[in-house]
Amino acid sequence: MNHDLVIIGAGPGGYIAAIRAAQLGLNVACIEKERMLGGTCLRVGCIPSKALLESSELYKEVEHSFKDRGINVGSLSLDLEKMLSQKDRTVKTMGGGIDSLFKKNKITRYSGHAMITAPGKVRVDDGKEVTELEAKHILIATGSQPSTLPGIELDGDRVGTSTEALTYQQVPKHLVVIGGGVIGLELGAVWSRLGAKVTVLEYLDRILPTTDMEIANEAKKIFEKQGIEFQLGCRVTGVKANKKTCDVEIADGKAIRCDRVLVAVGRRPNTDQLGLENVGIEVDKRGFIPVNDHFETSVKGVYAIGDVIGGAMLAHKAEEEGVAFAERLVTGYGHINYDTIPSVAYTNPEIAAVGKTEEQLKEAGIEYNKGSFPFLANGRARAMGQTEGRVKMLADKQTDRVLGVHILGPRAGDLIAECAVAMEFGASSEDIARCCHAHPTLAEAVKEAALAVDKRALNF
């Protein structure tokens, strides 16, 4: 079968690249080995975890917050099976939506394992038959998978990754999370809200290593008040799975006994068994595929995007790369600004950021002004009863151009969009401060933080 473009992988990067390329007139094929389209993000990542986060947050609110508002709901009980079922329905519905988009855009789907056999040639093996494809252009968008540590054997049950943590059939009595990054904290929060004792073990002396330090430290204090325990500077040397318990072994410390272990120590690219060696593509020491600014590998006609090329392992980063790739392929121009890609941790409160952290600016020797505004002084946050956290804005000292925004607080993931757009257009803190924001809204905290850059916040 001949196509203009063959894409390996139907995750956020792959399926979005397929749609955009098809919109631009290419004959596009997409290969996916899993039954459901959407990749890790949809099947066992972003979407199911957010469904559980939302459900567990509602459960916690009913348990603790409703009575303060004069809402009496009677006895409260958890139906975990139904909660997991709602999560699965959400995933299934969205997966079906991508199927419909493929049909709408006349994208040919192939199911099975893909291997590049030569330049312009891809073999698809579905376990029953082999299909040979030819294309002028091949795009690798195979994503990533959870990493583990030496001494830790994943058994897919008591010792598992985020995939298993999305499907526990019972609330753990004691869940140990190895890794204090976004994935570990999000899923730790889910099970903590539902009644588990949660202990987070982190090798570094801080949580959320890519987050602005001031924001990360404030978040840790909030999570501790919620009942999550942290052990920082903690090196895990092994995990022993027993029949009903696990023992987590720690260097220079006493082992921790628990009934579930979630290993959340990062992700590694899916670059094995793709046939890269057949065309002479060499991965780097971490397994990533080197590409140039236009997503071209060392082999003409073979490209890569998303988690397999490194950088921020975020679904929306892969999507933007997919669009930029397709548009450049067809029109000769495609661009992505990596300085304005937002990130969000869907904890409670949420943590969102775009641009540089204060530590990065100091390391680069860039002089800056800082404005900060607490949600405690925001009318809408007070009405919601969610006053923890703040908006922090960093602007160039000479030009006032916004260099970074960091938000810890309610709906931070939605609020950060305004800041990303402003930064994409090169806005100054003065530009944001001069824009009228509706009252009472959480977004007023962004305006006030912009005012605070010039030390003229009005409500704090």
Side-chain angles (χ1 to χ4, degrees), residues 79-259:
D79 188 335
L80 182 57
E81 183 179 356
K82 186 173 287 188
M83 187 178 288
L84 293 174
S85 177
Q86 187 275 335
K87 177 256 302 181
D88 293 339
R89 285 197 307 275
T90 301
V91 170
K92 184 178 180 181
T93 300
M94 293 192 68
I98 301 174
D99 275 319
S100 298
L101 288 171
F102 270 32
K103 292 173 184 175
K104 173 185 175 183
N105 290 281
K106 297 179 174 58
I107 297 164
T108 305
R109 179 190 174 175
Y110 294 94
S111 297
H113 176 75
M115 178 173 287
I116 302 171
T117 55
K121 297 181 183 297
V122 180
R123 176 182 298 152
V124 185
D125 185 350
D126 66 0
K128 295 180 180 178
E129 61 180 343
V130 173
T131 305
E132 302 286 348
L133 306 180
E134 292 189 17
K136 184 178 180 181
H137 306 287
I138 299 171
L139 175 64
I140 301 168
T142 46
S144 62
Q145 60 183 292
S147 299
T148 186
L149 294 173
I152 300 179
E153 183 178 345
L154 303 174
D155 65 7
D157 182 19
R158 296 209 168 272
V159 184
T161 66
S162 54
T163 301
E164 288 75 31
L166 289 166
T167 58
Y168 294 157
Q169 297 304 300
Q170 293 180 320
V171 177
K173 293 179 181 177
H174 186 187
L175 171 65
V176 167
V177 179
I178 302 175
V182 172
I183 295 173
L185 291 181
E186 286 185 350
L187 290 174
V190 165
W191 296 108
S192 174
R193 292 171 192 162
L194 298 180
K197 175 184 177 182
V198 175
T199 303
V200 177
L201 309 180
E202 170 55 52
Y203 178 72
L204 300 177
D205 61 357
R206 55 165 295 179
I207 63 170
L208 299 166
T210 61
T211 301
D212 184 272
M213 178 76 83
E214 183 179 14
I215 294 294
N217 288 342
E218 186 171 349
K220 176 175 173 287
K221 293 176 183 177
I222 294 172
F223 300 151
E224 285 175 328
K225 285 196 296 182
Q226 294 173 356
I228 297 178
E229 298 178 358
F230 293 91
Q231 291 189 29
L232 305 182
C234 178
R235 182 166 66 89
V236 176
T237 58
V239 175
K240 180 183 177 183
N242 310 309
K243 285 186 177 181
K244 294 185 178 181
T245 61
C246 302
D247 292 318
V248 181
E249 298 165 351
I250 300 170
D252 305 320
K254 184 179 179 182
I256 300 176
R257 176 156 288 185
C258 59
D259 55 332

Side-chain angles (χ1 to χ4, degrees), residues 20-54:
R20 187 67 186 117
Q23 287 176 341
L24 292 168
L26 296 187
N27 178 335
V28 182
C30 189
I31 307 165
E32 174 55 57
K33 65 180 181 180
E34 299 290 344
R35 182 183 59 81
M36 181 181 291
L37 300 174
T40 294
C41 178
L42 175 56
R43 292 183 301 102
V44 290
C46 324
I47 302 304
S49 66
K50 302 320 169 272
L52 283 184
L53 279 159
E54 187 70 23

Side-chain angles (χ1 to χ4, degrees), residues 127-405:
K128 295 180 180 178
E129 61 180 343
V130 173
T131 305
E132 302 286 348
L133 306 180
E134 292 189 17
K136 184 178 180 181
H137 306 287
I138 299 171
L139 175 64
I140 301 168
T142 46
S144 62
Q145 60 183 292
S147 299
T148 186
L149 294 173
I152 300 179
E153 183 178 345
L154 303 174
D155 65 7
D157 182 19
R158 296 209 168 272
V159 184
T161 66
S162 54
T163 301
E164 288 75 31
L166 289 166
T167 58
Y168 294 157
Q169 297 304 300
Q170 293 180 320
V171 177
K173 293 179 181 177
H174 186 187
L175 171 65
V176 167
V177 179
I178 302 175
V182 172
I183 295 173
L185 291 181
E186 286 185 350
L187 290 174
V190 165
W191 296 108
S192 174
R193 292 171 192 162
L194 298 180
K197 175 184 177 182
V198 175
T199 303
V200 177
L201 309 180
E202 170 55 52
Y203 178 72
L204 300 177
D205 61 357
R206 55 165 295 179
I207 63 170
L208 299 166
T210 61
T211 301
D212 184 272
M213 178 76 83
E214 183 179 14
I215 294 294
N217 288 342
E218 186 171 349
K220 176 175 173 287
K221 293 176 183 177
I222 294 172
F223 300 151
E224 285 175 328
K225 285 196 296 182
Q226 294 173 356
I228 297 178
E229 298 178 358
F230 293 91
Q231 291 189 29
L232 305 182
C234 178
R235 182 166 66 89
V236 176
T237 58
V239 175
K240 180 183 177 183
N242 310 309
K243 285 186 177 181
K244 294 185 178 181
T245 61
C246 302
D247 292 318
V248 181
E249 298 165 351
I250 300 170
D252 305 320
K254 184 179 179 182
I256 300 176
R257 176 156 288 185
C258 59
D259 55 332
R260 294 276 188 185
V261 176
L262 164 57
V263 181
V265 293
R267 301 183 64 83
R268 59 186 178 88
N270 290 324
T271 49
D272 296 334
Q273 299 181 327
L274 287 176
L276 301 181
E277 66 283 357
N278 295 333
V279 290
I281 295 176
E282 294 184 4
V283 298
D284 67 16
K285 61 182 180 181
R286 295 180 299 166
F288 294 109
I289 299 174
V291 295
N292 64 16
D293 291 342
H294 307 309
F295 312 109
E296 297 168 328
T297 69
S298 58
V299 176
K300 184 176 176 60
V302 181
Y303 312 81
I305 61 169
D307 287 4
V308 292
I309 67 172
M313 288 184 163
L314 299 169
H316 47 281
K317 176 256 197 187
E319 290 179 350
E320 292 300 311
E321 288 176 339
V323 170
F325 157 77
E327 292 182 348
R328 180 169 182 82
L329 193 64
V330 177
T331 70
Y333 180 78
H335 173 71
I336 179 169
N337 182 359
Y338 288 101
D339 290 331
T340 56
I341 295 177
S343 63
V344 185
Y346 295 89
T347 48
N348 184 22
E350 292 180 351
I351 306 166
V354 62
K356 303 297 184 185
T357 66
E358 197 167 355
E359 292 72 44
Q360 288 172 328
L361 294 179
K362 287 177 180 177
E363 186 177 344
I366 299 173
E367 294 187 325
Y368 61 91
N369 291 322
K370 177 172 70 173
S372 183
F373 188 82
F375 282 102
L376 188 68
N378 175 269
R380 181 63 188 276
R382 278 199 168 275
M384 293 169 62
Q386 299 180 41
T387 57
E388 294 174 309
R390 66 186 57 250
V391 178
K392 175 178 176 178
M393 189 172 294
L394 306 169
D396 188 280
K397 193 165 189 175
Q398 273 68 50
T399 67
D400 192 37
R401 184 170 182 166
V402 179
L403 302 175
V405 182

